[in-house]
Amino acid sequence: MRRVLFTLAAFCFVGFASAQYRNSSGSDKWYFGGGFGLSIGTDVTAISASPMVGYKVTDRLSVGTALTYQYVNNKLYDITYSNYGGGPFTRFQVTDKYFTHAEYEYLSFEYADGSLTPDGDFATFRDGYSSLWLGAGYRENIGRSAGFFLLALYNVLYDETEISPYASPLSIRAGVAVGF
């Protein structure tokens, strides 16, 4: 069980690539984008995709929603499963370079508890998990409408006694944003 949770944690801490784009209608209030993650190891392959859409309420405040899909193949335990979910987020630009970020996420996730099916395979179970990610980020401009960002988030709802898709309440994300 610990190995499966460790696999999920390693997957969550993999570099997070992100791009955001303005819509073609000329309005710079809406932005679209998302992220992609990939982790390939000897025993585990993990792939994630996180599309999102946001709306700039003001020049400094934006709100939006994001979806999450994670595919995990653990060859060590011969288990393949999918996690999916999403939720709303808000971001406040404190200065040109620093911002705060809050995000609620509900994730439907699969896990194995070590029990076996009648065929001798590991049994998997599905459960729901709520996270409230709070944190701050830094953005460094790369040209006129692009930038690199680094974001540190903490899940204030994390409880180490619960079965969770995350092995830690901390999430570090980095990526490139365009049109944000």
Side-chain angles (χ1 to χ4, degrees):
M1 179 64 185
R2 286 186 186 266
R3 195 162 250 218
V4 172
L5 289 177
F6 178 77
T7 298
L8 286 173
F11 175 64
C12 294
F13 289 108
V14 168
F16 186 85
S18 177
Q20 297 173 351
Y21 302 94
R22 289 186 183 158
N23 67 8
S24 59
S25 70
S27 169
D28 44 341
K29 293 276 189 186
W30 290 96
Y31 56 94
F32 304 90
F36 177 77
L38 176 65
S39 173
I40 300 174
T42 305
D43 296 323
V44 177
T45 300
I47 302 168
S48 70
S50 304
M52 53 84 67
V53 60
Y55 179 78
K56 293 181 183 178
V57 179
T58 69
D59 285 341
R60 297 173 65 183
L61 177 67
S62 66
V63 296
T65 190
L67 299 175
T68 300
Y69 175 78
Q70 301 168 342
Y71 165 85
V72 180
N73 181 352
N74 187 323
K75 295 176 195 102
L76 186 64
Y77 295 106
D78 194 26
I79 299 173
T80 299
Y81 47 89
S82 297
N83 302 328
Y84 46 84
F89 69 88
T90 186
R91 187 174 282 184
F92 182 76
Q93 204 71 36
V94 179
T95 68
D96 286 344
K97 295 190 182 277
Y98 296 97
F99 60 89
T100 60
H101 183 94
E103 172 182 333
Y104 173 79
E105 174 191 60
Y106 179 82
L107 196 63
S108 175
F109 73 103
E110 283 183 275
Y111 64 95
D113 69 355
S115 61
L116 299 175
T117 66
D119 297 335
D121 297 327
F122 282 100
T124 61
F125 304 91
R126 180 163 294 281
D127 203 352
Y129 190 78
S130 293
S131 298
L132 180 57
W133 299 100
L134 301 177
Y138 173 79
R139 177 189 156 99
E140 184 63 43
N141 289 336
I142 306 170
R144 197 177 87 164
S145 63
F148 166 81
F149 72 87
L150 181 63
L151 180 62
L153 298 172
Y154 186 84
N155 182 3
V156 297
L157 300 180
Y158 183 81
D159 181 351
E160 64 185 24
T161 64
E162 288 183 335
I163 295 174
S164 166
Y166 304 109
S168 167
L170 183 63
S171 176
I172 306 295
R173 302 177 189 173
V176 175
V178 179
F180 173 67

mmCIF file of all heavy atoms in Angstrom, residues 80-104:
data_model
loop_
_atom_site.group_PDB
_atom_site.id
_atom_site.type_symbol
_atom_site.label_atom_id
_atom_site.label_comp_id
_atom_site.label_asym_id
_atom_site.label_seq_id
_atom_site.Cartn_x
_atom_site.Cartn_y
_atom_site.Cartn_z
ATOM 1 N N THR A 80 -3.315 -1.114 -13.119
ATOM 2 C CA THR A 80 -3.503 0.079 -13.941
ATOM 3 C C THR A 80 -4.793 0.740 -13.486
ATOM 4 O O THR A 80 -5.809 0.069 -13.328
ATOM 5 C CB THR A 80 -3.598 -0.285 -15.431
ATOM 6 O OG1 THR A 80 -2.385 -0.916 -15.830
ATOM 7 C CG2 THR A 80 -3.834 0.948 -16.278
ATOM 8 N N TYR A 81 -4.736 2.044 -13.275
ATOM 9 C CA TYR A 81 -5.941 2.732 -12.847
ATOM 10 C C TYR A 81 -5.931 4.183 -13.287
ATOM 11 O O TYR A 81 -4.919 4.709 -13.734
ATOM 12 C CB TYR A 81 -6.154 2.634 -11.338
ATOM 13 C CG TYR A 81 -4.951 2.933 -10.487
ATOM 14 C CD1 TYR A 81 -4.683 4.219 -10.062
ATOM 15 C CD2 TYR A 81 -4.090 1.922 -10.094
ATOM 16 C CE1 TYR A 81 -3.584 4.491 -9.268
ATOM 17 C CE2 TYR A 81 -2.992 2.192 -9.300
ATOM 18 C CZ TYR A 81 -2.748 3.475 -8.895
ATOM 19 O OH TYR A 81 -1.662 3.746 -8.112
ATOM 20 N N SER A 82 -7.105 4.808 -13.181
ATOM 21 C CA SER A 82 -7.304 6.193 -13.588
ATOM 22 C C SER A 82 -7.892 6.993 -12.435
ATOM 23 O O SER A 82 -8.771 6.507 -11.729
ATOM 24 C CB SER A 82 -8.268 6.273 -14.769
ATOM 25 O OG SER A 82 -7.744 5.608 -15.891
ATOM 26 N N ASN A 83 -7.405 8.208 -12.291
ATOM 27 C CA ASN A 83 -7.951 9.163 -11.323
ATOM 28 C C ASN A 83 -8.470 10.353 -12.124
ATOM 29 O O ASN A 83 -7.844 10.769 -13.103
ATOM 30 C CB ASN A 83 -6.876 9.632 -10.349
ATOM 31 C CG ASN A 83 -6.248 8.481 -9.598
ATOM 32 O OD1 ASN A 83 -6.897 7.480 -9.324
ATOM 33 N ND2 ASN A 83 -4.985 8.607 -9.261
ATOM 34 N N TYR A 84 -9.601 10.926 -11.699
ATOM 35 C CA TYR A 84 -10.138 12.064 -12.427
ATOM 36 C C TYR A 84 -10.946 12.946 -11.484
ATOM 37 O O TYR A 84 -11.441 12.501 -10.457
ATOM 38 C CB TYR A 84 -10.994 11.606 -13.609
ATOM 39 C CG TYR A 84 -11.966 10.505 -13.276
ATOM 40 C CD1 TYR A 84 -13.208 10.795 -12.716
ATOM 41 C CD2 TYR A 84 -11.639 9.175 -13.496
ATOM 42 C CE1 TYR A 84 -14.092 9.783 -12.392
ATOM 43 C CE2 TYR A 84 -12.527 8.150 -13.185
ATOM 44 C CZ TYR A 84 -13.745 8.465 -12.627
ATOM 45 O OH TYR A 84 -14.619 7.461 -12.309
ATOM 46 N N GLY A 85 -11.053 14.208 -11.859
ATOM 47 C CA GLY A 85 -11.807 15.149 -11.055
ATOM 48 C C GLY A 85 -11.593 16.565 -11.536
ATOM 49 O O GLY A 85 -11.235 16.806 -12.689
ATOM 50 N N GLY A 86 -11.762 17.509 -10.631
ATOM 51 C CA GLY A 86 -11.577 18.913 -10.983
ATOM 52 C C GLY A 86 -12.156 19.809 -9.920
ATOM 53 O O GLY A 86 -12.574 19.350 -8.855
ATOM 54 N N GLY A 87 -12.185 21.095 -10.253
ATOM 55 C CA GLY A 87 -12.752 22.054 -9.324
ATOM 56 C C GLY A 87 -12.378 23.482 -9.672
ATOM 57 O O GLY A 87 -11.613 23.733 -10.603
ATOM 58 N N PRO A 88 -12.916 24.430 -8.913
ATOM 59 C CA PRO A 88 -12.657 25.843 -9.162
ATOM 60 C C PRO A 88 -11.339 26.311 -8.549
ATOM 61 O O PRO A 88 -10.815 25.697 -7.626
ATOM 62 C CB PRO A 88 -13.835 26.532 -8.477
ATOM 63 C CG PRO A 88 -14.157 25.616 -7.335
ATOM 64 C CD PRO A 88 -13.901 24.223 -7.858
ATOM 65 N N PHE A 89 -10.816 27.415 -9.089
ATOM 66 C CA PHE A 89 -9.622 28.040 -8.517
ATOM 67 C C PHE A 89 -9.775 29.548 -8.590
ATOM 68 O O PHE A 89 -10.607 30.079 -9.335
ATOM 69 C CB PHE A 89 -8.346 27.602 -9.255
ATOM 70 C CG PHE A 89 -8.223 28.135 -10.651
ATOM 71 C CD1 PHE A 89 -7.636 29.375 -10.900
ATOM 72 C CD2 PHE A 89 -8.697 27.413 -11.731
ATOM 73 C CE1 PHE A 89 -7.528 29.873 -12.187
ATOM 74 C CE2 PHE A 89 -8.589 27.892 -13.020
ATOM 75 C CZ PHE A 89 -8.006 29.135 -13.251
ATOM 76 N N THR A 90 -8.974 30.245 -7.802
ATOM 77 C CA THR A 90 -8.873 31.695 -7.878
ATOM 78 C C THR A 90 -7.415 32.078 -7.699
ATOM 79 O O THR A 90 -6.663 31.397 -6.997
ATOM 80 C CB THR A 90 -9.781 32.393 -6.833
ATOM 81 O OG1 THR A 90 -9.754 33.794 -7.041
ATOM 82 C CG2 THR A 90 -9.336 32.086 -5.419
ATOM 83 N N ARG A 91 -7.028 33.148 -8.365
ATOM 84 C CA ARG A 91 -5.641 33.612 -8.308
ATOM 85 C C ARG A 91 -5.650 35.134 -8.178
ATOM 86 O O ARG A 91 -6.374 35.817 -8.891
ATOM 87 C CB ARG A 91 -4.908 33.190 -9.578
ATOM 88 C CG ARG A 91 -3.432 33.476 -9.551
ATOM 89 C CD ARG A 91 -2.753 32.905 -10.763
ATOM 90 N NE ARG A 91 -2.578 31.470 -10.591
ATOM 91 C CZ ARG A 91 -1.942 30.693 -11.458
ATOM 92 N NH1 ARG A 91 -1.458 31.201 -12.565
ATOM 93 N NH2 ARG A 91 -1.811 29.409 -11.225
ATOM 94 N N PHE A 92 -4.838 35.643 -7.248
ATOM 95 C CA PHE A 92 -4.728 37.082 -7.046
ATOM 96 C C PHE A 92 -3.281 37.509 -7.261
ATOM 97 O O PHE A 92 -2.374 36.997 -6.605
ATOM 98 C CB PHE A 92 -5.186 37.471 -5.630
ATOM 99 C CG PHE A 92 -5.137 38.948 -5.387
ATOM 100 C CD1 PHE A 92 -6.108 39.782 -5.910
ATOM 101 C CD2 PHE A 92 -4.108 39.492 -4.653
ATOM 102 C CE1 PHE A 92 -6.054 41.151 -5.691
ATOM 103 C CE2 PHE A 92 -4.042 40.863 -4.421
ATOM 104 C CZ PHE A 92 -5.029 41.698 -4.949
ATOM 105 N N GLN A 93 -3.072 38.425 -8.199
ATOM 106 C CA GLN A 93 -1.744 38.931 -8.532
ATOM 107 C C GLN A 93 -1.390 40.020 -7.514
ATOM 108 O O GLN A 93 -1.899 41.124 -7.566
ATOM 109 C CB GLN A 93 -1.774 39.496 -9.960
ATOM 110 C CG GLN A 93 -0.468 39.540 -10.651
ATOM 111 C CD GLN A 93 0.045 38.160 -11.040
ATOM 112 O OE1 GLN A 93 -0.703 37.272 -11.413
ATOM 113 N NE2 GLN A 93 1.342 37.988 -10.923
ATOM 114 N N VAL A 94 -0.503 39.700 -6.547
ATOM 115 C CA VAL A 94 -0.121 40.642 -5.495
ATOM 116 C C VAL A 94 0.765 41.740 -6.074
ATOM 117 O O VAL A 94 0.572 42.922 -5.806
ATOM 118 C CB VAL A 94 0.605 39.906 -4.341
ATOM 119 C CG1 VAL A 94 1.037 40.880 -3.263
ATOM 120 C CG2 VAL A 94 -0.303 38.823 -3.760
ATOM 121 N N THR A 95 1.757 41.345 -6.865
ATOM 122 C CA THR A 95 2.616 42.270 -7.611
ATOM 123 C C THR A 95 2.744 41.710 -9.020
ATOM 124 O O THR A 95 2.135 40.698 -9.345
ATOM 125 C CB THR A 95 4.024 42.381 -6.975
ATOM 126 O OG1 THR A 95 4.712 41.140 -7.147
ATOM 127 C CG2 THR A 95 3.955 42.736 -5.491
ATOM 128 N N ASP A 96 3.554 42.348 -9.854
ATOM 129 C CA ASP A 96 3.763 41.824 -11.210
ATOM 130 C C ASP A 96 4.362 40.423 -11.190
ATOM 131 O O ASP A 96 4.159 39.640 -12.102
ATOM 132 C CB ASP A 96 4.677 42.748 -12.012
ATOM 133 C CG ASP A 96 3.954 44.013 -12.438
ATOM 134 O OD1 ASP A 96 2.710 44.038 -12.386
ATOM 135 O OD2 ASP A 96 4.639 44.971 -12.836
ATOM 136 N N LYS A 97 5.114 40.084 -10.153
ATOM 137 C CA LYS A 97 5.820 38.806 -10.106
ATOM 138 C C LYS A 97 5.237 37.798 -9.119
ATOM 139 O O LYS A 97 5.421 36.601 -9.289
ATOM 140 C CB LYS A 97 7.289 39.042 -9.773
ATOM 141 C CG LYS A 97 8.025 39.817 -10.865
ATOM 142 C CD LYS A 97 9.498 39.828 -10.612
ATOM 143 C CE LYS A 97 10.219 40.640 -11.651
ATOM 144 N NZ LYS A 97 10.491 39.910 -12.862
ATOM 145 N N TYR A 98 4.540 38.232 -8.086
ATOM 146 C CA TYR A 98 4.053 37.323 -7.040
ATOM 147 C C TYR A 98 2.531 37.253 -7.043
ATOM 148 O O TYR A 98 1.850 38.261 -7.231
ATOM 149 C CB TYR A 98 4.539 37.774 -5.659
ATOM 150 C CG TYR A 98 6.038 37.704 -5.524
ATOM 151 C CD1 TYR A 98 6.830 38.829 -5.726
ATOM 152 C CD2 TYR A 98 6.663 36.502 -5.207
ATOM 153 C CE1 TYR A 98 8.206 38.755 -5.620
ATOM 154 C CE2 TYR A 98 8.039 36.424 -5.093
ATOM 155 C CZ TYR A 98 8.808 37.559 -5.307
ATOM 156 O OH TYR A 98 10.164 37.474 -5.211
ATOM 157 N N PHE A 99 1.997 36.049 -6.800
ATOM 158 C CA PHE A 99 0.550 35.860 -6.759
ATOM 159 C C PHE A 99 0.196 34.840 -5.684
ATOM 160 O O PHE A 99 1.025 34.033 -5.262
ATOM 161 C CB PHE A 99 0.003 35.422 -8.126
ATOM 162 C CG PHE A 99 0.570 34.129 -8.653
ATOM 163 C CD1 PHE A 99 -0.014 32.912 -8.348
ATOM 164 C CD2 PHE A 99 1.692 34.142 -9.464
ATOM 165 C CE1 PHE A 99 0.510 31.720 -8.835
ATOM 166 C CE2 PHE A 99 2.223 32.959 -9.968
ATOM 167 C CZ PHE A 99 1.636 31.751 -9.659
ATOM 168 N N THR A 100 -1.058 34.909 -5.230
ATOM 169 C CA THR A 100 -1.601 33.890 -4.332
ATOM 170 C C THR A 100 -2.550 33.016 -5.150
ATOM 171 O O THR A 100 -3.086 33.454 -6.168
ATOM 172 C CB THR A 100 -2.336 34.509 -3.130
ATOM 173 O OG1 THR A 100 -3.410 35.315 -3.615
ATOM 174 C CG2 THR A 100 -1.394 35.357 -2.285
ATOM 175 N N HIS A 101 -2.752 31.796 -4.683
ATOM 176 C CA HIS A 101 -3.564 30.841 -5.435
ATOM 177 C C HIS A 101 -4.366 29.995 -4.441
ATOM 178 O O HIS A 101 -3.829 29.532 -3.442
ATOM 179 C CB HIS A 101 -2.633 29.939 -6.267
ATOM 180 C CG HIS A 101 -3.340 28.966 -7.148
ATOM 181 N ND1 HIS A 101 -3.614 29.243 -8.474
ATOM 182 C CD2 HIS A 101 -3.811 27.715 -6.921
ATOM 183 C CE1 HIS A 101 -4.225 28.200 -9.012
ATOM 184 N NE2 HIS A 101 -4.357 27.262 -8.085
ATOM 185 N N ALA A 102 -5.647 29.798 -4.726
ATOM 186 C CA ALA A 102 -6.511 28.907 -3.927
ATOM 187 C C ALA A 102 -7.271 28.027 -4.910
ATOM 188 O O ALA A 102 -7.745 28.505 -5.946
ATOM 189 C CB ALA A 102 -7.471 29.713 -3.071
ATOM 190 N N GLU A 103 -7.371 26.744 -4.567
ATOM 191 C CA GLU A 103 -7.982 25.787 -5.490
ATOM 192 C C GLU A 103 -8.661 24.667 -4.712
ATOM 193 O O GLU A 103 -8.049 24.063 -3.840
ATOM 194 C CB GLU A 103 -6.857 25.229 -6.363
ATOM 195 C CG GLU A 103 -7.174 24.108 -7.264
ATOM 196 C CD GLU A 103 -5.921 23.645 -8.015
ATOM 197 O OE1 GLU A 103 -4.983 24.424 -8.238
ATOM 198 O OE2 GLU A 103 -5.908 22.451 -8.361
ATOM 199 N N TYR A 104 -9.927 24.426 -5.022
ATOM 200 C CA TYR A 104 -10.623 23.273 -4.465
ATOM 201 C C TYR A 104 -10.568 22.174 -5.529
ATOM 202 O O TYR A 104 -10.835 22.426 -6.700
ATOM 203 C CB TYR A 104 -12.080 23.581 -4.120
ATOM 204 C CG TYR A 104 -12.834 22.338 -3.716
ATOM 205 C CD1 TYR A 104 -12.690 21.817 -2.443
ATOM 206 C CD2 TYR A 104 -13.637 21.665 -4.626
ATOM 207 C CE1 TYR A 104 -13.349 20.656 -2.071
ATOM 208 C CE2 TYR A 104 -14.300 20.501 -4.266
ATOM 209 C CZ TYR A 104 -14.147 19.998 -2.988
ATOM 210 O OH TYR A 104 -14.795 18.843 -2.635
#
